Amino acid sequence: MLSEDALIEYAKPYLKQRGFRKKNKRWTKQADGFTFSFFIQGGAYSKDYYFIRPGVWFDACEKTGLNYYGHFHTELPQTTAEEVMEKAMAFFQAWSDRAYIRETIQAFLEWEHRNPLEKRRAWNVDMKKDPPPDDCSGLVELTENQLHEILEKL
């Protein structure tokens, strides 16, 4: 298992080379209207239990406490430091591609209209028959208005 300390030591020079700045266990970088964040969140009970959370904010839209990890974010598994960085960079590349963002948000909104939050909370959605679109996990925390605002400003 990849220790938190080992990942931090690997991430420091790797992310610095790519223009990220470090504050505590969060590295950020602004480019092309986006802010990229690589965040290592410590676990409450054990140093071995931690979360790897890359996120992307679309700078034209407001950052709120509800999108602490980014407008678009994910959680990566603890594999190897090299693989974590590779997956984080791929995530940053995808979620700073305006066409990809537009396509993914539109697919999510179509799914959301068929499966509104009230139905999902009441377990009235068959996720096997109608699963959410791929790569939309971070979008569920954004309101429909926020998603439309992002689409308008892309």
Side-chain angles (χ1 to χ4, degrees):
M1 178 190 239
L2 177 63
S3 76
E4 181 180 349
D5 290 335
L7 179 57
I8 289 170
E9 287 308 307
Y10 187 89
K12 282 180 191 177
Y14 185 94
L15 293 170
K16 186 175 183 175
Q17 273 185 338
R18 287 156 181 81
F20 285 77
R21 294 181 175 217
K22 182 179 182 296
K23 182 176 181 183
N24 300 321
K25 293 190 278 183
R26 184 188 299 263
W27 289 259
T28 58
K29 171 185 173 177
Q30 288 186 294
D32 302 321
F34 295 93
T35 299
F36 305 98
S37 170
F38 183 81
F39 183 42
I40 300 172
Q41 182 180 17
Y45 302 106
S46 167
K47 186 104 170 120
D48 294 332
Y49 191 75
Y50 63 96
F51 304 93
I52 305 164
R53 300 189 177 191
V56 177
W57 284 276
F58 181 46
D59 292 339
C61 294
E62 182 181 358
K63 294 178 187 176
T64 69
L66 295 176
N67 31 51
Y68 180 75
Y69 303 113
H71 290 115
F72 321 115
H73 59 86
T74 192
E75 185 176 321
L76 299 178
Q78 298 172 17
T79 54
T80 66
E82 295 85 359
E83 187 175 344
V84 166
M85 290 298 128
E86 183 179 300
K87 286 183 177 183
M89 294 302 119
F91 180 84
F92 295 148
Q93 184 174 358
W95 285 99
S96 59
D97 177 327
R98 292 168 191 267
Y100 176 81
I101 294 168
R102 182 178 306 284
E103 180 181 301
T104 305
I105 288 176
Q106 287 171 337
F108 177 77
L109 285 170
E110 289 171 16
W111 178 83
E112 158 105 332
H113 285 291
R114 291 190 311 272
N115 303 291
L117 183 59
E118 299 79 35
K119 281 178 65 177
R120 296 194 313 266
R121 284 188 176 155
W123 299 96
N124 289 332
V125 173
D126 187 339
M127 297 294 221
K128 288 183 180 177
K129 286 184 181 174
D130 192 7
D134 290 338
D135 209 15
C136 289
S137 63
L139 297 180
V140 298
E141 296 171 18
L142 297 173
T143 67
E144 188 171 344
N145 287 342
Q146 288 173 311
L147 292 168
H148 284 292
E149 178 187 6
I150 291 169
L151 287 174
E152 289 170 15
K153 293 182 177 183
L154 279 174

